[in-house]
């Protein structure tokens, strides 16, 4: 049985794509068949894994221009595949709006390929538009990265409202897998204040693993590698492997308690 997880936050710069790349790679390193689907028009997850500029992307797949299987590309990690994004996604919000059942286009794609995988991760764009709606409709759960910086909780109420709307109208089984604290700097009083604030707000939905601010995480995309391949001994690599282990510790896919 596969599990589909959307990684989303409409705020930019919170570690969403970094988490998509590195959590997918860490799960794959633990020998679980993993698929990363990049639906962010910026295509940073695609380029971060060395797959960029493809004319066989998620856009061509959901618009019916190519077969679903033809959009899946292998990476240099044996257990990790990717469906890359493309610049064509920029206009997808407008182009797809007139299509019948437009909220289910990505779900149709995933339903046709997910049996090959243990985990499917979706890197969402930093918005709450049609592409993100497709991701939430197609997913079993959501991971919400939150940076340990000022205004960390800004906009999260809107995201939670969107998740509830999706649950009511399109995907009644959707739940929050966890809130992930990112860019944590233990030297800063602000980082510790944000951790406490997020835990107070989300309770047991916050992952125990915290992603520390780490230069190796920032450097690795320029080498088109996840951090575990760029520097396996770095704090960033250890953090994401710990997050993968935490996620896998609940492999029966029981829903976390949600308030």
């Amino acid at each position: 049985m596969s599990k589909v997880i959307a990684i989303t936050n409409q705020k930019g710069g919170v570690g969403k794509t970094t988490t998509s790349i590195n959590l997918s790679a860490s799960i794959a390193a633990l020998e679980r068949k993993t698929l990363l689907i990049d639906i962010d028009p910026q295509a940073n997850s695609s380029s971060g894994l060395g797959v960029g500029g493809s004319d066989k992307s998620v856009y061509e797949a959901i618009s019916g221009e190519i077969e679903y299987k033809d959009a899946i590309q292998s990476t240099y990690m044996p257990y990790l595949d990717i469906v890359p994004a493309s610049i064509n996604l920029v206009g997808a919000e407008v182009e797809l709006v007139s299509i019948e059942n437009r909220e289910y286009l990505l779900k149709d794609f995933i339903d046709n390929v997910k049996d090959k995988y243990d985990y499917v991760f979706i890197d969402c764009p930093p918005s709450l538009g049609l592409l993100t709606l497709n991701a939430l409709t197609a997913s079993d759960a959501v991971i919400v990265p939150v940076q340990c910086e000022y205004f960390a909780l800004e906009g999260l109420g809107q995201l939670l409202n969107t998740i509830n709307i999706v649950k009511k109208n399109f995907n009644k089984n959707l739940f929050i897998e966890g809130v992930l604290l990112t860019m944590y700097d233990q030297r800063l009083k602000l980082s510790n204040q944000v951790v406490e604030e997020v835990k107070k707000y989300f309770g047991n939905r916050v992952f125990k693993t915290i992603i520390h601010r780490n230069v190796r995480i920032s450097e690795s995309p320029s080498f088109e590698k996840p951090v575990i391949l760029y520097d396996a001994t770095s704090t960033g690599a250890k953090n994401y492997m710990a997050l993968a282990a935490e996620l896998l510790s609940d492999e029966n896919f029981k829903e976390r308690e949600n308030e």
Side-chain angles (χ1 to χ4, degrees):
M1 179 182 176
S2 61
K3 187 171 187 179
V4 183
I5 300 176
I7 300 176
T8 186
N9 188 329
Q10 77 270 27
K11 284 188 68 177
V14 299
K16 175 184 60 61
T17 293
T18 297
T19 295
S20 298
I21 293 171
N22 290 298
L23 179 56
S24 298
S26 298
I27 293 286
L30 295 171
E31 299 188 350
R32 302 302 199 280
K33 284 288 292 179
T34 306
L35 177 66
L36 173 58
I37 301 176
D38 187 359
I39 62 165
D40 186 343
Q42 298 175 84
N44 289 332
S45 278
S46 305
S47 60
L49 287 174
V51 182
S54 174
D55 59 355
K56 293 183 178 180
S57 72
V58 66
Y59 173 82
E60 283 76 26
I62 64 175
S63 61
E65 295 180 23
I66 62 173
E67 296 290 328
Y68 292 142
K69 60 182 178 60
D70 292 335
I72 299 173
Q73 300 189 29
S74 58
T75 70
Y76 36 72
M77 295 188 70
Y79 287 85
L80 178 61
D81 291 340
I82 184 170
V83 177
S86 76
I87 193 64
N88 292 330
L89 284 170
V90 171
E93 300 273 357
V94 176
E95 293 174 20
L96 301 179
V97 73
S98 61
I99 296 178
E100 188 176 357
N101 294 322
R102 58 187 178 272
E103 299 88 0
Y104 297 93
L105 294 173
L106 187 61
K107 177 176 171 57
D108 290 343
F109 171 81
I110 292 174
D111 285 348
N112 276 275
V113 302
K114 69 179 184 180
D115 288 346
K116 294 172 54 181
Y117 299 97
D118 299 306
Y119 281 86
V120 178
F121 293 99
I122 308 171
D123 181 15
C124 300
S127 68
L128 295 178
L130 184 56
L131 291 173
T132 298
L133 178 58
N134 262 264
L136 296 176
T137 301
S139 297
D140 300 306
V142 182
I143 290 176
V144 183
V146 175
Q147 81 280 31
C148 295
E149 296 179 359
Y150 199 58
F151 292 138
L153 296 178
E154 186 182 58
L156 283 183
Q158 186 181 0
L159 174 60
L160 296 178
N161 185 53
T162 298
I163 291 172
N164 286 331
I165 290 171
V166 172
K167 286 181 67 172
K168 182 178 179 180
N169 295 288
F170 304 109
N171 182 3
K172 66 179 181 180
N173 297 317
L174 182 68
F175 68 96
I176 297 176
E177 181 75 35
V179 175
L180 176 66
L181 290 157
T182 65
M183 305 179 193
Y184 173 75
D185 188 338
Q186 61 187 2
R187 299 168 299 178
L188 300 180
K189 183 178 180 180
L190 176 61
S191 283
N192 292 297
Q193 289 174 337
V194 170
V195 169
E196 293 306 312
E197 189 176 2
V198 171
K199 286 183 176 179
K200 185 186 301 183
Y201 191 82
F202 288 102
N204 64 344
R205 288 184 285 182
V206 181
F207 283 107
K208 295 181 177 67
T209 303
I210 296 177
I211 308 301
H212 291 66
R213 188 176 292 278
N214 178 246
V215 68
R216 295 303 195 194
I217 293 178
S218 301
E219 291 173 348
S220 59
S222 64
F223 291 87
E224 300 183 343
K225 293 180 179 180
V227 69
I228 59 169
L229 294 187
Y230 177 62
D231 185 351
T233 64
S234 67
T235 297
K238 292 175 182 177
N239 288 167
Y240 276 108
M241 286 302 296
L243 177 63
E246 186 175 349
L247 192 61
L248 290 178
S249 68
D250 192 23
E251 281 196 323
N252 57 3
F253 304 152
K254 286 184 178 178
E255 179 175 343
R256 290 169 179 263
E257 291 183 28
N258 284 284
E259 298 174 356

